[in-house]
Amino acid sequence: MKLNNINIQFGPLMLFLIMLVLVVSTFGFVIRKLLGVERKKWFSYNHLNERHKKLDWSVRIIFTILVLISSYYMIYNDPVSIPLYFKTWFILIVFFITSEMLRAFMEWKYAENKKDFVATIAEMMFMISIVFLTITTDFFGLFNI
């Protein structure tokens, strides 16, 4: 498929994404096993208390609004002249970091097992490293972009 003169092959892309999910899942499993903490369920909120739930939903709503504003701004302006902080991918990365830091803080403050926050921070740092590595190496050279 051609998209803006970029040749994207979906087979290698899907295989790459599956491999990334496996690497991240394995890291999460190992780090939680080493620290002796329960693993989190995928795609669940896992709020520790009502305060965490309210703060988490506030962060989600704020970032949803920011993504909508960013999308509108990117559609109606020249993509080259858009500042970094208006780009949707940047906002999503900041959302991920903010959300995980909120989770780590709430785990540090309220969780029964105080090692939960260490596992959350380790997983977040690993994910940031993987995303940074993937971006800086052009998907490890898989795509001729």
Side-chain angles (χ1 to χ4, degrees), residues 7-142:
N7 187 16
I8 298 176
Q9 299 169 347
F10 285 105
L13 178 63
M14 292 307 294
L15 182 61
F16 179 75
L17 292 176
I18 290 169
M19 290 301 294
L20 279 181
V21 168
L22 286 173
V23 167
V24 169
S25 298
T26 302
F27 178 82
F29 175 78
V30 169
I31 197 73
R32 289 190 175 277
K33 200 63 132 166
L34 288 173
L35 292 172
V37 297
E38 282 185 39
R39 69 179 178 92
K40 295 185 275 187
K41 295 178 185 174
W42 274 51
F43 301 114
S44 64
Y45 297 118
N46 295 324
H47 295 117
L48 295 171
N49 55 29
E50 200 58 35
R51 183 176 186 193
H52 182 205
K53 184 177 182 179
K54 287 178 184 176
L55 288 171
D56 185 55
W57 276 104
S58 298
V59 167
R60 289 172 189 266
I61 290 168
I62 289 168
F63 276 95
T64 300
I65 292 168
L66 288 175
V67 165
L68 291 172
I69 291 169
S70 165
S71 299
Y72 177 81
Y73 190 77
M74 288 189 64
I75 289 170
Y76 293 106
N77 289 293
D78 180 27
V80 175
S81 65
I82 296 175
L84 176 67
Y85 50 85
F86 272 121
K87 296 192 177 187
T88 306
W89 64 267
F90 181 80
I91 293 172
L92 291 174
I93 290 172
V94 172
F95 164 71
F96 171 74
I97 293 169
T98 304
S99 180
E100 288 301 298
M101 290 304 291
L102 174 64
R103 168 175 293 292
F105 177 76
M106 295 307 270
E107 287 173 345
W108 172 71
K109 197 85 164 153
Y110 299 110
E112 292 176 20
N113 187 349
K114 294 299 178 185
K115 293 181 184 178
D116 276 342
F117 85 96
V118 175
T120 299
I121 290 174
E123 288 176 348
M124 180 189 65
M125 295 304 290
F126 185 74
M127 276 292 293
I128 290 169
S129 301
I130 291 291
V131 168
F132 178 75
L133 203 64
T134 302
I135 290 171
T136 57
T137 62
D138 279 338
F139 290 83
F140 299 100
L142 276 176

